[in-house]
Amino acid sequence: TVEDYGPEWFKEQIEDRLGFKLEPAKPYRFEHRGDLHGWVKGSNGLWNCGLLVPIGRVKDNSRACLRKIAEELKGQVAFRMTCNQSVVIEDIPEAKKSLVQKLLAEYKVMHDKETTVSG
């Protein structure tokens, strides 16, 4: 384990199994913890939308809205639960973003700074 043998030994074990050397560690600083709500364009050019799910329970309007989005965009999007019990709709094509936004508004699903309590 890392505690018994140290981080360098652990890194060597990983590199041995990978078959290549890892790059040196890059500086990183946590500036935010939690889920992002609202629209974010991914590096793949597709859109993701984070939804607030109070106490992790997809109910009523949210459930109906997610079902409708799944039906309308069958096979085009993915739904992911986060560690903080929110939902992210992933890989929304640009051409379908306005449809998803319309459905979120129609079903009053909390998904942006104006509609989420925590903002």
Side-chain angles (χ1 to χ4, degrees), residues 6-56:
E8 191 56 39
W9 174 87
F10 187 76
K11 180 181 172 197
E12 290 169 4
Q13 297 302 307
I14 298 292
E15 291 173 338
D16 186 50
R17 286 167 176 76
L18 288 172
F20 60 87
K21 296 282 185 196
L22 296 173
E23 294 180 17
K26 297 178 182 171
Y28 185 81
R29 186 172 149 215
F30 270 112
E31 296 181 6
H32 178 267
R33 186 181 87 66
D35 295 332
L36 296 175
H37 299 115
W39 291 98
V40 178
K41 193 166 196 174
S43 59
N44 60 359
L46 300 173
W47 287 94
N48 305 302
C49 188
L51 314 178
L52 178 65
V53 180
I55 60 174

Side-chain angles (χ1 to χ4, degrees), residues 7 27 34-36 40 44 59 64 67 73 81 84 91-92 96 101 106-107 115 119:
D35 295 332
L36 296 175
V40 178
N44 60 359
K59 300 184 340 182
R67 183 181 303 123
L73 284 84
M81 292 295 295
N84 293 318
D91 299 336
I92 302 165
K96 300 292 183 174
Q101 179 62 45
E106 179 181 325
Y107 286 89
T115 61

Side-chain angles (χ1 to χ4, degrees), residues 3 7 29 32 37-38 42 64-65 68 73 82 100 109 112-113 115:
E3 187 174 321
R29 186 172 149 215
H32 178 267
H37 299 115
C65 183
K68 186 71 172 171
L73 284 84
T82 70
V100 173
V109 176
D112 58 25
K113 289 183 180 181
T115 61

Side-chain angles (χ1 to χ4, degrees), residues 39-105:
W39 291 98
V40 178
K41 193 166 196 174
S43 59
N44 60 359
L46 300 173
W47 287 94
N48 305 302
C49 188
L51 314 178
L52 178 65
V53 180
I55 60 174
R57 297 191 177 164
V58 180
K59 300 184 340 182
D60 305 325
N61 284 0
S62 293
R63 181 180 293 165
C65 183
L66 291 176
R67 183 181 303 123
K68 186 71 172 171
I69 291 169
E71 290 168 357
E72 293 284 335
L73 284 84
K74 186 174 184 178
Q76 297 179 55
V77 298
F79 298 89
R80 180 173 56 90
M81 292 295 295
T82 70
C83 295
N84 293 318
Q85 302 179 330
S86 292
V87 172
V88 178
I89 308 170
E90 298 182 327
D91 299 336
I92 302 165
E94 181 75 41
K96 300 292 183 174
K97 182 182 175 202
S98 61
L99 171 63
V100 173
Q101 179 62 45
K102 177 181 167 271
L103 291 169
L104 294 171

